[in-house]
Structures are given as structure tokens and as C-alpha cells.
Amino acid sequence: MTLSASDRPVLLLVDFQRGLDEPSYGPRNNPDAEENAMRLLEAWREADLPVVHVRHDSTEPDSPLRGELPGFRFKQGLEPRGDEPEFVKRVNGAFLDTDLESWLRDRGYDSLVVCGLTTDHCVSTTTRLAENLGFEVSVVSDATATFDRELDGERFDASLAHRTALAHLEGEFATVRRTDDLLDAVGGRDE
């Protein structure tokens, strides 16, 4: 896979927010997700490829992601720069009740590289909607992460929840890729 400025794939960074560091979320997999996302962000900027940031402004009264709380802020190193647009969502999908789709279409972008938090919630919902809307989507497995989940008293560790979410997306809604493969494709891999 090669990517170039003429291909114009959009790096879509979903919910890299400080509130998701709250201990109340429980154990999380992939502690390197943010570092990998920063590597991608640097490579996209260096190659002059488009970057879009998405943040969740929660309507839940006890959520650390509410707009007026410190947890709404971007994680350090993953903040928008210059003319990189930000879209604020109130639900799991970045295309619902935002101008993201029209922004992409107005510029002729049809390819997305998605990374962010959490794999099984906002990343998955955004990816599924993007594919349904006709976008070509790649999800970056090692620049996404999630938390332990529970159902009917059974606990599913974060790694299993993460890999299951990726398995649900692979081939049907997206191509699952790794950071280094994408960095090679844009010529920005650290040696």
C-alpha cells in the first residue's frame, strides 16, 4: 500500500481526550495507542496530508468528557494545529449531527485512516458509518484502544474487546492496518 499527497487520505483522530484517562474506566489495552497516533499525526503533517480531529462532548451528567470539564481537552500532543478542523460530537458516531461528511465531500476526500478511543465504541461506530456513506476506511489497530467490558457478570478483558471490535470491522467495514505499515506508505517511518 502506498499513500501520497495525491491520494489525500484523511487521518481521522477520534476522542483522544484527557477524560479517558480517568481510573473509573478500568483497565485498558494498548498503552502505546497515543504514541502511535502521534507518530501518524507527525507523518501526515510532514506529508501535507489532511488531518481531522473529533471530540466527544458528553450529555451524561457524570461523564468526564463534558465540554465544561478538563477531561474534554485533547490529550497532549494530539491537539489540532493550524487549519486542522475539529468536529464535536454528542454521540458515538463522528458523522451524526456534525458537518464531517460535508467537509470531506466538499474537498473530494474519500479515504479515511481512523485511530482513537475507544475501539469498540466511537472508533467502530464512526468507521461503520463512514463505510456505509461510501468512504474507503482503514482502522489502525495499534493506534486504537479500549477498556475491559462486562456483560451478565462476565468480564471481557480490554485486549479481547479490542481485537473482537477490529475483527468485526475487518473486511466488512474497513481494512485493519498497523502504524508502521502506514508510516512506510507515507514515507514517515522512524528508522
Side-chain angles (χ1 to χ4, degrees):
M1 173 185 163
T2 59
L3 296 175
S4 67
S6 63
D7 295 329
R8 309 299 294 161
V10 176
L11 180 64
L12 185 62
L13 300 147
V14 178
D15 296 352
F16 280 115
Q17 294 171 254
R18 295 179 185 197
L20 289 169
D21 291 335
E22 291 288 324
S24 61
Y25 283 106
R28 189 188 114 174
N29 75 310
N30 193 12
D32 296 328
E34 288 85 352
E35 179 183 326
N36 286 327
M38 283 188 254
R39 292 170 62 212
L40 290 167
L41 181 57
E42 181 180 328
W44 249 252
R45 287 171 173 165
E46 184 70 27
D48 196 29
L49 292 168
V51 174
V52 172
H53 302 263
V54 174
R55 268 196 293 188
H56 190 83
D57 183 0
S58 181
T59 60
E60 300 296 323
D62 57 349
S63 173
L65 303 178
R66 292 180 64 84
E68 70 275 8
L69 298 177
F72 180 69
R73 293 176 27 211
F74 287 102
K75 290 184 177 222
Q76 187 172 353
L78 291 164
E79 306 92 345
R81 184 189 298 168
D83 62 353
E84 296 170 356
E86 174 195 353
F87 295 91
V88 177
K89 62 184 180 58
R90 305 286 287 198
V91 295
N92 301 91
F95 288 93
L96 297 174
D97 297 325
T98 72
D99 293 327
L100 176 58
E101 181 184 3
S102 61
W103 187 90
L104 293 166
R105 295 210 190 279
D106 288 349
R107 287 152 184 81
Y109 299 136
D110 59 6
S111 178
L112 305 176
V113 174
V114 180
C115 56
L117 305 172
T118 62
T119 316
D120 50 345
H121 287 167
C122 297
V123 169
S124 179
T125 303
T126 297
T127 297
R128 289 166 184 260
L129 286 169
E131 191 280 334
N132 287 173
L133 291 168
F135 293 96
E136 181 183 324
V137 187
S138 294
V139 175
V140 190
S141 62
D142 57 350
T144 53
T146 195
F147 300 95
D148 283 5
R149 303 294 181 201
E150 187 175 321
L151 178 65
D152 297 330
E154 184 179 359
R155 189 157 205 82
F156 303 91
D157 72 49
S159 180
L160 177 62
H162 173 75
R163 297 211 30 90
T164 301
L166 292 173
H168 289 186
L169 296 174
E170 171 64 35
E172 180 73 19
F173 297 99
T175 301
V176 176
R177 303 194 184 284
R178 297 188 55 78
T179 297
D180 285 344
D181 296 333
L182 289 162
L183 291 175
D184 284 344
V186 297
R189 182 160 180 191
D190 303 328
E191 299 296 333

